[in-house]
Amino acid sequence: MLNYWANYFTRNGIGVGMFLLAAVLLWMVFMIILPQLYMVDFSLRANVPPPKWGGEEHVYTLEHYKYLLYGSSKSAEQFNTIDLSVFGRTILAAVFVTIIDLCLCYPVAYYLAHVARGGWARLMIMSLIIPFWINEILRAFSFKVLFGTSGLINNALMAVGLIDQPYDFVRENVALYSGLSYAYILLMIFPIYNAIESLDKNQIEAARDMGSPWWRIHWRIVLPHAKPGICSGSTMVFMLSAGALAAPQVLGGPSSLWFTQIIYKAFNNSANWARGSAYALVLLLACIIFVLLMMRIFKVKLGEIAR
Amino acid sequence: MSADVTLDDVWIRFGDFVAAREANIHIEDGEFFSFLGPSGCGKTTLLRAISGFLTPSQGRVLIGGKDMAGIGPNRRPTALIFQNLALFPLMSVWENIAFALEVKGMSKLERRKRADELLDLIALPGQGDKRVSELSGGQKQRVAIARALAAEPDVLLLDEPLSALDLKLRQHMRTELRAIQQRVGITFVYITHDQGEALTMSDNVAVMREGLIEQVADGSTIYDSPETAFVASFVGENNVFQGKVNRLDQSAAVVETPYGEFCARPIQRNNQDQLRVGDDAMVFVRPEAIENAQSDSANRISGEVLQTEFEGNLWQLHVQLPNGGPRITRSSINDGRATKHQVGDRIELGFSETSAIALPTGQLAAE
Ligand SMILES: Nc1ncnc2c1ncn2[C@@H]1O[C@H](COP(=O)(O)OP(=O)(O)O)[C@@H](O)[C@H]1O
Ligand SMILES: [Mg+2]
């Protein structure tokens, strides 16, 4: 360890070495650790207006966590069905988006890694990346245009004669799921692509040589090999979908509230930072626990994901 | 079950590049057949055409008399052992071996039983539950063979399966492979760039150069009567003298070279490149056929000893012919009677008419 640091300083010089070290430490402390700790602190205190922060009334309490469960800090008679159901639905919807992305990306990643050749593969990757230069809000609104009752898709479907009434994609959340799936598709494709690309083609051919139909080749050879990539892609898509704000705000149907929207409201409209941070932390913890649980079920180690 | 394999005028092109041309081969049912040639000569390409991963640009592949056109690798009665083995690292050893049975829908109990039988056959009893990564190189090799045999192919195709092993193991596996082939009795088509492997294991060998099959014969014919300059120089060591044919009859050719007139056995190849009087020709003599000059030696050469090498069972002598002539190699058995030579000695050597061969001049194998 000592050796490592000695080496580090001789390699970078004392000045640059110190600077890099300080920069990384400052970054970690001020940008990552402190703000989160601040949030934890907030979530555990009473909700008082900013001038009284740190004052006598700013006492420690669990009322905001209780509020998520019971809808009231006093009684424990009725569950807070509104917030809890939104919370549950958000997690479910994020799982759903993850599954959609997985189903879309696995074949594409396999195609890119093992079927497409040189220039064609590069072209496909480029055409996947470039749409992501468009920012999130623009993308969300363009999807709204696409899926709106007088949008492109409805017009096209009606022109062909498949439907005669415009279909409300937004109300049925089709627009939201499409928007979210599209937004995180790259985060799913690339880890899977990386994993599949490292698979020796001969293994696929060996399986085929032994009479295996294509689905068994995928089930027994390609999928197990791609598992770490699938896991890391799914983790990212799931976390980001559950925490998305712009897409649900713009594309969500009137009946569907995303949990992040409740959090946003708590921070912004009701100026209840304490409840907002409590809710946000619960969401974060729930996501982490969910991901760890999934990794347990699918027998993936944390180290494999980070490859 | 076992089947014969026929290549009927097979050509394989990649764009403008011709990887295999005019391949006409008949491999008998139950035969151990080898393709031998330097790396890049198109051996793997031909094997892939037999296994069905590649469709010939022209010509037919027949297995068991049946034209294989349009039949994919998963439906051919062949099993291929890949150059890098391509074992499945995420499966246990027995699952690897039983993969073909899994595909056939055999029950797990039966699969396990059959895998254990095959593990006995390859002398790895009780190792079925290991991971592939826990095996040594030679063991992996044998698992790959068992995995291929589990599919009960009529023809087993092997792409340089021993090239990753060290010398000792390689020699051991040669014997083992041959023994397995004789036990299971199916056709083996074996690819190698190692002439030792080809000669020791095979019933017949096809020697390839740049996509072309130069000669097909059994090992001793390939070694004793190579039909082209390439085969003569690629298979085993050979000394070569360039010259012109002076006289020629059925049993003897006299070739005039700058180092003297040599009398040699002409090898006449059917219907092409026949040796004629006045043609450029090459005389090949094996190092072990060169001896000290006797009074009755048909062919004599003299030169200066450049180097002597002791190889245990053999003495190798490198001799420089005068006037910028070739370096020749002589090897003699170390039986305690061989005369010791010093570097710089002048030496008189000879070889008999029957131990030398004359061939039309052609391209030699690169060293
Ligand atoms: N898919 C391919 N596309 C283009 N050229 C190829 C392809 N496969 C093989 N070749 C070429 O064909 C020649 C023979 O290759 P190969 O059969 O693998 O040789 P060997 O197995 O004898 O070493 C090589 O020059 C190689 O570059
Ligand atoms: Mg090869």
Side-chain angles (χ1 to χ4, degrees):
Chain A
M1 196 65 195
L2 215 63
N3 223 336
Y4 173 82
W5 286 114
N7 217 329
Y8 170 81
F9 280 114
T10 39
R11 222 176 336 116
N12 296 308
I14 299 277
V16 177
M18 285 307 255
F19 174 76
L20 281 176
L21 207 60
V24 169
L25 275 179
L26 281 178
W27 174 269
M28 292 213 345
V29 170
F30 284 101
M31 304 297 280
I32 301 175
I33 299 175
L34 267 186
Q36 299 298 340
L37 283 179
Y38 226 77
M39 284 288 141
V40 174
D41 185 57
F42 256 117
S43 74
L44 290 168
R45 285 182 188 247
N47 181 34
V48 292
K52 297 194 179 157
W53 283 1
E56 265 170 26
E57 290 166 54
H58 206 197
V59 291
Y60 284 102
T61 165
L62 282 174
E63 65 173 291
H64 310 296
Y65 293 95
K66 262 195 197 146
Y67 190 87
L68 174 59
L69 270 180
Y70 301 113
S72 141
S73 46
K74 311 281 176 322
S75 82
E77 262 145 41
Q78 267 184 328
F79 283 117
N80 182 356
T81 41
I82 300 176
D83 288 0
L84 282 178
S85 70
V86 170
F87 179 73
R89 244 187 303 129
T90 303
I91 299 280
L92 266 183
V95 169
F96 188 56
V97 169
T98 309
I99 291 173
I100 294 178
D101 270 354
L102 182 57
C103 295
L104 285 177
C105 295
Y106 176 80
V108 175
Y110 177 78
Y111 182 83
L112 279 177
H114 280 277
V115 185
R117 296 252 161 86
W120 178 233
R122 270 196 298 278
L123 193 76
M124 277 189 70
I125 291 176
M126 281 306 283
S127 56
L128 277 171
I129 291 175
I130 289 176
F132 285 82
W133 293 351
I134 297 162
N135 62 51
E136 195 188 357
I137 206 94
L138 193 60
R139 197 178 322 125
F141 277 105
S142 68
F143 261 67
K144 189 153 192 156
V145 171
L146 201 63
F147 281 104
T149 36
S150 56
L152 210 63
I153 295 183
N154 266 315
N155 284 348
L157 286 179
M158 285 201 288
V160 185
L162 274 175
I163 51 174
D164 42 31
Q165 290 273 321
Y167 184 76
D168 197 343
F169 289 109
V170 174
R171 176 177 291 278
E172 303 299 331
N173 282 327
V174 176
L176 175 57
Y177 288 133
S178 311
L180 281 174
S181 307
Y182 181 70
Y184 303 124
I185 216 159
L186 276 192
L187 294 176
M188 188 65 102
I189 283 194
F190 281 111
I192 301 183
Y193 170 80
N194 274 336
I196 294 185
E197 220 227 345
S198 68
L199 175 65
D200 174 14
K201 266 197 175 63
N202 285 350
Q203 276 181 37
I204 299 174
E205 291 196 335
R208 197 146 81 91
D209 191 49
M210 279 178 282
S212 181
W214 65 269
W215 59 266
R216 193 189 291 276
I217 294 178
H218 281 276
W219 181 243
R220 292 289 273 146
I221 318 284
V222 188
L223 257 176
H225 183 87
K227 207 165 71 173
I230 290 176
C231 223
S232 82
S234 302
T235 307
M236 284 193 276
V237 171
F238 171 75
M239 292 275 194
L240 289 176
S241 311
L245 184 59
Q249 201 91 286
V250 177
L251 294 171
S255 62
S256 83
L257 205 57
W258 217 247
F259 196 63
T260 46
Q261 288 171 282
I262 293 185
I263 297 172
Y264 181 75
K265 268 197 207 125
F267 274 113
N268 217 33
N269 305 4
S270 4
N272 193 340
W273 279 52
R275 186 187 296 165
S277 43
Y279 277 28
L281 283 169
V282 169
L283 181 63
L284 175 66
L285 277 180
C287 286
I288 292 177
I289 289 169
F290 183 79
V291 166
L292 290 178
L293 196 73
M294 285 297 130
M295 281 168 59
R296 193 63 179 271
I297 291 174
F298 289 104
K299 299 202 182 75
V300 186
K301 293 194 195 69
L302 204 55
E304 284 180 279
I305 289 198
R307 267 194 319 193
Chain B
M1 264 270 289
S2 162
D4 61 335
V5 178
T6 307
L7 300 186
D8 178 16
D9 191 32
V10 169
W11 290 65
I12 296 162
R13 299 187 187 86
F14 297 113
D16 288 339
F17 179 76
V18 184
R21 66 187 78 213
E22 275 183 78
N24 281 299
I25 294 240
H26 182 73
I27 301 169
E28 289 291 340
D29 190 340
E31 188 177 350
F32 197 122
F33 188 93
S34 292
F35 285 97
L36 171 65
S39 141
C41 72
K43 306 181 295 292
T44 299
T45 303
L46 273 186
L47 205 69
R48 288 174 70 79
I50 298 175
S51 60
F53 286 109
L54 206 151
T55 310
S57 320
Q58 183 183 325
R60 297 187 307 159
V61 175
L62 297 101
I63 299 176
K66 198 163 154 237
D67 192 344
M68 287 288 126
I71 299 182
N74 49 349
R75 286 166 48 233
R76 292 197 183 188
T78 57
L80 175 60
I81 295 179
F82 289 79
Q83 201 155 358
N84 66 354
L85 305 184
L87 293 174
F88 308 131
L90 300 178
M91 296 184 200
S92 64
V93 167
W94 85 265
E95 281 179 304
N96 261 281
I97 294 176
F99 186 77
L101 308 174
E102 186 183 325
V103 170
K104 284 184 185 150
M106 198 182 263
S107 78
K108 186 166 176 180
L109 215 66
E110 276 179 280
R111 292 203 311 259
R112 181 74 215 229
K113 189 160 152 278
R114 182 79 187 109
D116 285 339
E117 284 168 20
L118 282 161
L119 280 164
D120 287 341
L121 177 83
I122 56 168
L124 287 177
Q127 313 248 25
D129 289 312
K130 281 195 174 169
R131 315 225 104 227
V132 171
S133 56
E134 289 168 332
L135 301 180
S136 72
Q139 291 174 329
K140 280 186 194 152
Q141 188 61 64
R142 280 181 273 187
V143 170
I145 293 167
R147 186 179 70 170
L149 289 177
E152 300 193 342
D154 298 342
V155 181
L156 190 66
L157 310 170
L158 304 98
D159 190 350
E160 310 212 19
L162 306 186
S163 56
L165 306 182
D166 58 49
L167 182 67
K168 257 263 163 30
L169 201 53
R170 211 153 61 214
Q171 281 169 343
H172 173 72
M173 285 303 295
R174 281 181 197 174
T175 336
E176 193 121 315
L177 263 181
R178 183 66 173 157
I180 289 175
Q181 193 255 344
Q182 274 159 355
R183 225 171 308 154
V184 295
I186 59 172
T187 313
F188 272 39
V189 180
Y190 189 90
I191 277 190
T192 180
H193 65 265
D194 181 320
Q195 31 152 330
E197 277 174 21
L199 297 184
T200 46
M201 291 192 284
S202 323
D203 297 311
N204 280 301
V205 180
V207 184
M208 288 184 72
R209 174 177 71 95
E210 290 172 12
L212 191 70
I213 295 168
E214 297 237 326
Q215 186 173 6
V216 184
D218 62 274
S220 69
T221 306
I222 294 270
Y223 192 82
D224 293 331
S225 306
E227 286 179 353
T228 68
F230 176 80
V231 176
S233 55
F234 185 73
V235 181
E237 294 277 307
N238 238 328
N239 295 300
V240 52
F241 304 98
Q242 284 263 20
K244 265 194 170 36
V245 182
N246 252 355
R247 269 172 291 136
L248 182 71
D249 61 39
Q250 277 296 318
S251 60
V254 176
V255 179
E256 168 90 42
T257 77
Y259 328 101
E261 250 191 8
F262 297 134
C263 203
R265 186 161 54 91
I267 308 274
Q268 297 292 27
R269 201 180 178 192
N270 293 337
N271 62 42
Q272 51 184 332
D273 291 345
Q274 297 277 1
L275 210 53
R276 275 184 227 88
V277 174
D279 281 356
D280 284 342
M282 285 173 162
V283 173
F284 291 92
V285 196
R286 299 278 177 199
E288 63 270 20
I290 295 186
E291 49 202 13
N292 287 336
Q294 318 270 308
S295 52
D296 61 343
S297 287
N299 304 299
R300 290 165 167 273
I301 41 180
S302 64
E304 183 183 316
V305 177
L306 267 184
Q307 201 185 345
T308 64
E309 281 169 1
F310 179 58
E311 290 188 0
N313 57 338
L314 291 179
W315 278 99
Q316 297 265 27
L317 204 62
H318 297 285
V319 176
Q320 175 73 54
L321 296 199
N323 309 326
R327 276 173 73 172
I328 62 166
T329 307
R330 166 202 163 170
S331 59
S332 44
I333 291 175
N334 177 25
D335 55 3
R337 284 182 290 147
T339 41
K340 302 270 191 303
H341 295 282
Q342 302 296 323
V343 172
D345 283 357
R346 275 205 71 73
I347 186 171
E348 292 282 326
L349 298 172
F351 51 93
S352 72
E353 179 183 331
T354 47
S355 66
I357 57 168
L359 287 172
T361 292
Q363 197 188 328
L364 299 176
E367 276 302 309

